[in-house]
Amino acid sequence: MNFETLNLRERPEFAETCAAWVYGEWGCQRAESCFQKVLTYLNSAGPDSDLLECRIAVNGAKPLGMACLKRVEHPDRPDLSPWLGSVYVHPLFRGRKISYNLIADIERQAAEVYGYRECHLQTAIPKFYERLGWAVIDRVRDTMGLNADGWFLMKKAL
């Protein structure tokens, strides 16, 4: 399948779809979250925001997946920046390397546009990211209360 990755600001008509993905995958787990907050957050992306970039994979008029570059992600680790987050590919399009391309795109943006030398993420699936050159450096608590053991904290040099 052919697809391209681009900034969500270039295709604002996909903002609601991306917000639904984020809300459905992670946001609905938080008591203080609502779909409108997620949509507002995604639409706030830019160099002066906590959400630096939201990149999407698209095939023509069809959004396939997304990934974000966030200035901050975990409240216990304000010392770390930036963060890869909200990596999501619609289930119908998984297994086609779309997530790999989105992650590589975020890594490029972090290094080339924003000048970062490393990036961080939190995940329950470290093996997936280890294949892409990320390394586990610690554990962080799960702020949503889904995983009593917390999440793996990972880092990658850019």
Side-chain angles (χ1 to χ4, degrees):
M1 166 178 281
N2 293 329
F3 63 91
E4 62 179 329
T5 59
L6 43 97
N7 194 309
L8 179 59
R9 288 189 304 262
E10 297 175 59
R11 298 294 297 270
E13 68 271 24
F14 295 141
E16 287 193 12
T17 298
C18 291
W21 289 340
V22 170
Y23 180 75
E25 192 73 14
W26 303 284
C28 63
Q29 307 302 324
R30 305 185 88 144
E32 75 279 2
S33 185
C34 72
F35 175 81
Q36 189 57 48
K37 281 185 183 179
V38 174
L39 182 59
T40 299
Y41 177 68
L42 290 176
N43 283 326
S44 76
D48 298 325
S49 171
D50 281 343
L51 177 61
L52 297 168
E53 295 267 343
C54 183
R55 308 292 293 180
I56 57 172
V58 298
N59 174 294
K62 189 182 308 179
L64 311 174
M66 65 180 288
C68 294
L69 179 64
K70 304 173 181 186
R71 193 179 311 275
V72 294
E73 169 86 341
H74 199 283
D76 297 345
R77 296 306 305 260
D79 57 312
L80 303 178
S81 188
W83 293 75
L84 167 67
S86 303
V87 177
Y88 181 88
V89 174
H90 189 281
L92 292 176
F93 306 110
R94 292 180 183 165
R96 301 176 192 198
K97 308 271 188 219
I98 294 168
S99 60
Y100 292 178
N101 283 277
L102 284 164
I103 292 165
D105 197 22
I106 288 291
E107 292 170 356
R108 241 185 334 275
Q109 295 296 314
E112 295 173 10
V113 175
Y114 297 97
Y116 288 106
R117 295 181 179 206
E118 63 186 22
C119 196
H120 307 86
L121 65 84
Q122 60 179 332
T123 186
I125 53 170
K127 298 262 185 254
F128 172 81
Y129 292 98
E130 286 171 342
R131 289 193 302 259
L132 300 174
W134 292 77
V136 173
I137 60 169
D138 203 353
R139 297 287 294 228
V140 291
R141 72 182 171 97
D142 172 6
T143 59
M144 293 182 282
L146 301 175
N147 185 353
D149 295 331
W151 305 118
F152 292 93
L153 174 61
M154 302 186 79
K155 177 172 89 169
K156 182 176 183 180
L158 302 176

